[in-house]
Every structure is written in structure tokens, then in C-alpha cells.
Amino acid sequence: MKLHVLVDELETARLAVEGGATVVQWRLKDVPRVDVVERGRATRSLCARYGVPFVVNDDVEAALMLGADGVHLGRTDEGADEAHSHGLLLGLSASTVEEARVAEGRADYIGAGPVWETPSKADADQPLGLDALRELCAAVGTPVVAIGGIDPSNAGDCIRAGASGVAVIRAARHAAALVRAIDEAL
């Protein structure tokens, strides 16, 4: 869970996995399920070759069709029970301590954020900052993966605040630098 990379194409996934990413999350927004599945096959195969868990964003059915290891669901996404019934790794999003407590016991990990402002998600909540991330991590026993505005310069701060790992979109091609920053913080 140390480094989740959220990707929408194979080359970034390849660079991230070769750089040390520990989870690849397939994230295609506003794309029909058939395209998510079709375009995701090669990335799923890449992850299988490297032994890196492959998680699909927001869509349990697409995860099942791709033979994914897991699914990450946002606060308004449905399918947590279905994911569990199929044995999928389940990540749930939270931006407050209360949301994290609701996810605890249901999720295998909690995606917490955004920690900082991010252009990667237009409808992102207000940034938590490190103090709120620290509070959220302390409030739950479920592993927390911090997301939002994270890059090699601040990934270690998230780990020191109690996160088990970080998730990145824009910085996915900098996996090796991110892994170094995380390892230095551990």
C-alpha cells in the first residue's frame, strides 16, 4: 500500500511499476464501462506480470470484468457489498474523520484527501492539510492512503502524519522518487 498510482494509460503504468509503485489504480473518468475494460486489459496484464495489485476506480463491474484485485469507491459510489462478496480488495474515500470512521471495518484501506490542492479532481473537497490528515489517521485502525497534491517533495510528510501510503496521479511517472521519499520517512 506504500505507493498507489492512479493512471489512465499503459505507459504511465509501466513507468510507475518499474519505479516501484505498489498498487496501480485504473482511473478513467466519464468513459463508458466497455472502454474502461477494453483499454484496461493491457495495464491489468502489466500488473500481473510484475505482481502489483491492480485496482479499478469507481466501478465494481469493470473490476470484475478485468479480473482486478480490487476496486476503489468514492463516497457516493455503490458496490461495496458486491466487492466484498467477490473477494475484491476495497478502498473507500474519506475527507473527514467521520467519513473515515464510517469506512472503517468496511474498507481494506481508506483513501484520505485531498491533503493539498490538486488540479486532478475538479470537484475535490477543501484540502485537509497535514494536521487533519494526522487526526484522521489516528482515528481509525484501517490503513490510510493519503491523496491530493502529493509529489516527492511532500510524500514523506504524509507518512510522518500517520498515512500507510500515498496515492498520486500527476506524479505517477516519478514513482522511484516517491518511493525514496516514503522510505526515508518510515
Side-chain angles (χ1 to χ4, degrees):
M1 298 246 169
K2 183 165 51 173
L3 176 58
H4 288 232
V5 293
L6 284 69
V7 301
D8 61 4
E9 49 89 23
L10 179 61
E11 181 61 13
T12 300
R14 183 188 64 75
L15 290 169
V17 167
E18 290 175 353
T22 56
V23 175
V24 170
Q25 185 169 323
W26 189 238
R27 180 183 187 260
L28 296 177
K29 290 300 212 176
D30 303 317
V31 174
R33 178 178 293 143
V34 66
D35 291 334
V36 170
V37 172
E38 185 63 32
R39 291 169 53 188
R41 287 190 175 115
T43 303
R44 172 64 181 121
S45 294
L46 169 85
C47 292
R49 281 194 309 276
Y50 280 86
V52 173
F54 179 74
V55 174
V56 174
N57 198 68
D58 294 343
D59 189 336
V60 175
E61 292 303 317
L64 293 171
M65 293 168 85
L66 281 163
D69 301 295
V71 64
H72 185 94
L73 300 175
R75 295 185 310 268
T76 61
D77 296 325
E78 296 186 15
D81 291 336
E82 184 180 5
H84 276 298
S85 72
H86 288 283
L88 293 174
L89 176 74
L90 177 61
L92 295 174
S93 295
S95 62
T96 66
V97 168
E98 295 75 25
E99 290 173 352
R101 286 184 175 140
V102 168
E104 186 163 35
R106 297 177 55 219
D108 295 297
Y109 71 91
I110 296 168
V115 179
W116 291 285
E117 285 190 32
T118 176
S120 299
K121 188 171 183 184
D123 62 344
D125 292 317
Q126 285 295 111
L128 297 174
L130 288 174
D131 290 338
L133 176 64
R134 185 175 292 106
E135 181 183 344
L136 189 149
C137 291
V140 295
T142 303
V144 173
V145 176
I147 188 167
I150 298 170
D151 61 35
S153 73
N154 59 24
D157 295 332
C158 295
I159 301 302
R160 286 186 286 275
S164 298
V166 300
V168 298
I169 299 173
R170 291 176 300 122
R173 290 178 173 249
H174 305 290
L178 284 156
V179 168
R180 279 192 302 276
I182 292 165
D183 287 346
E184 288 172 8
L186 291 173

